[in-house]
Amino acid sequence: MSVAYATFGLAPAMRAGEVLADGGYQVHRDFVDFVVDGRPLLHQLSDLDAVSPLASDVPPAIFTAQVRSLLLETRAPLPGGRYIVYGCPECEDLACGAVTAVIQREGEDFIWRDFAWQTDEHADLTLNGYHGIGPFRFRGTEYRQALASLLDGAAPAAPRRRVLLIGARVALLAKLAAALRTIGIGADITRDAHGVLAEELRAYGAVAFGRAITEEERAAVRRTFEDAGVEVAYVDGLAPIIPLLVAQIEHALDPSPAAQRRLTGLVATDGEAGVEVSSPCRVRLTAYRLDRLYRTHTHELFDGILEPGRHRIALDAKAVKGESFLVARTSGSVLVEATAHGKTGTRTAPAAH
């Protein structure tokens, strides 16, 4: 097979969890994505809510088996030499649908070809093939080294999927902790971090501050983590709205390199939203607003596929009046901004560190 070489790599990624307005939820998943020619392979497919088989929350024996399968050390799990490349993030059942591909050896090289969407044991390339994706030829040394690194300890450490919640409103923090645990993120509540052992601090990937916590108290918490040599993301809670706080924490916990995220920018004004994406994807915009009595109002503003680039989306003035906030979501990225009334501009929201 005469195919030009493509580069192969791995990068941390996540499927963002979410607390839904109807009381439902979407589970948070951390996984290792495949990077082909410098771009996540998932982004080169159609907009897809899926994870690779290399998920951080599967048992070690299963994770190892998945790696060895991709190295062709075991038989293909599906007929025709087909392997699952991305599957359902909720249950990973083939019946829910999966992206599969034929993986084969040719000399020292590894080739991925005939990508397809599959819901049973047999793929129909005519109806469900990803035409225009692949084939990809990877140099054997590069391919094996990348995957073997997941087995020999050279790969990045697993994401710390635990959050320390610091605030004065215990009832709100309890609701937030329950919501985070529901979607698969651990959470603990405290007023400060004084006296906490360094070993315990290392379990946290983020610290979220309530609005009542003073700058002096925040600085003390930061010093505690710095003295323990623990680097975490810090989240300043925008408002006592559970889905909004969950979105802020999801953004802070995103392990993927900023250059490889689909959702790269968000600006929120009272007239329009500015959204920037790096590849075609479904984007949802949700506004959260507090009225004068501190009641929460939720408005779904946009849900559609956006092409790469910057986009301006008009906003309903009623949805973003007063103290309001905008959340932009793709399947793997979340950005949050407070509405800037009477201001315009564009900026890319950085990770909260």
Side-chain angles (χ1 to χ4, degrees):
M1 180 179 293
S2 180
V3 179
Y5 282 106
T7 62
F8 181 86
L10 302 170
M14 78 171 186
R15 187 269 191 139
E18 181 181 6
V19 177
L20 304 175
D22 62 2
Y25 62 91
Q26 182 172 283
V27 174
H28 175 107
R29 299 291 302 279
D30 291 300
F31 64 99
V32 177
D33 200 4
F34 310 109
V35 180
V36 177
D37 285 337
R39 292 181 58 208
L41 179 59
L42 186 60
H43 295 188
Q44 301 180 45
L45 301 168
S46 61
D47 184 67
L48 194 64
D49 183 15
V51 299
S52 81
L54 306 177
S56 65
D57 54 358
V58 300
I62 295 178
F63 185 92
T64 298
Q66 295 286 7
V67 174
R68 298 199 181 283
S69 177
L70 294 171
L71 287 167
L72 304 187
E73 296 179 5
T74 58
R75 294 182 61 183
L78 296 171
R82 303 193 72 82
Y83 293 76
I84 294 176
V85 179
Y86 296 105
C88 173
E90 297 287 346
C91 66
E92 301 181 27
D93 190 332
L94 182 60
C96 292
V99 177
T100 68
V102 174
I103 302 180
Q104 64 186 67
R105 288 278 300 274
E106 189 172 285
E108 290 297 311
D109 301 336
F110 287 78
I111 296 173
W112 288 24
R113 62 175 176 84
D114 297 338
F115 288 82
W117 178 255
Q118 196 166 340
T119 56
D120 55 36
E121 286 196 347
H122 300 282
D124 188 329
L125 293 178
T126 301
L127 291 177
N128 300 314
Y130 282 94
H131 306 293
I133 302 297
F136 300 116
R137 178 188 289 270
F138 305 118
R139 289 181 172 84
T141 300
E142 179 182 59
Y143 184 88
R144 285 190 295 269
Q145 285 180 346
L147 288 169
S149 70
L150 299 175
L151 305 177
D152 62 16
R160 289 171 290 164
R161 195 166 52 185
R162 195 166 194 86
V163 182
L164 185 62
L165 307 178
I166 299 179
R169 299 179 59 179
V170 177
L172 174 69
L173 295 180
K175 291 180 181 179
L176 176 57
L180 291 169
R181 291 166 187 153
T182 297
I183 65 174
I185 297 174
D188 297 307
I189 301 170
T190 186
R191 182 60 198 242
D192 60 59
H194 179 71
V196 180
L197 298 177
E199 290 75 12
E200 296 181 29
L201 296 178
R202 293 191 184 98
Y204 297 107
V207 175
F209 295 112
R211 298 203 292 188
I213 300 302
T214 66
E215 286 300 324
E216 183 179 359
E217 291 173 312
R218 295 171 194 234
V221 171
R222 292 174 185 267
R223 284 195 300 271
T224 297
F225 276 88
E226 290 170 1
D227 291 344
V230 180
E231 183 178 349
V232 296
Y234 293 98
V235 178
D236 293 320
L238 288 173
I241 303 171
I242 299 301
L244 179 70
L245 295 171
V246 168
Q248 285 191 265
I249 290 169
E250 282 283 9
H251 172 66
L253 291 177
D254 191 344
S256 61
Q260 294 180 358
R261 297 178 187 178
R262 266 182 163 161
L263 184 58
T264 57
L266 173 67
V267 60
T269 70
D270 49 4
E272 66 179 26
V275 180
E276 185 173 359
V277 296
S278 62
S279 63
C281 59
R282 177 190 175 192
V283 175
R284 289 183 294 123
L285 292 179
T286 305
Y288 297 94
R289 180 175 66 85
L290 289 175
D291 63 21
R292 294 178 181 178
L293 299 178
Y294 277 83
R295 295 172 299 192
T296 301
H297 300 267
T298 304
H299 301 270
E300 300 298 334
L301 302 177
F302 177 83
D303 187 344
I305 302 295
L306 296 181
E307 294 299 318
R310 295 181 178 179
H311 302 267
R312 300 169 66 178
I313 300 171
L315 301 178
D316 181 348
K318 293 182 180 180
V320 293
K321 70 178 181 179
E323 188 176 13
S324 58
F325 311 88
L326 198 64
V327 175
R329 283 183 173 274
T330 66
S331 60
S333 302
V334 183
L335 289 179
V336 182
E337 284 293 332
T339 303
H341 295 285
K343 298 179 182 179
T344 59
T346 301
R347 75 182 183 88
T348 298
H353 288 286

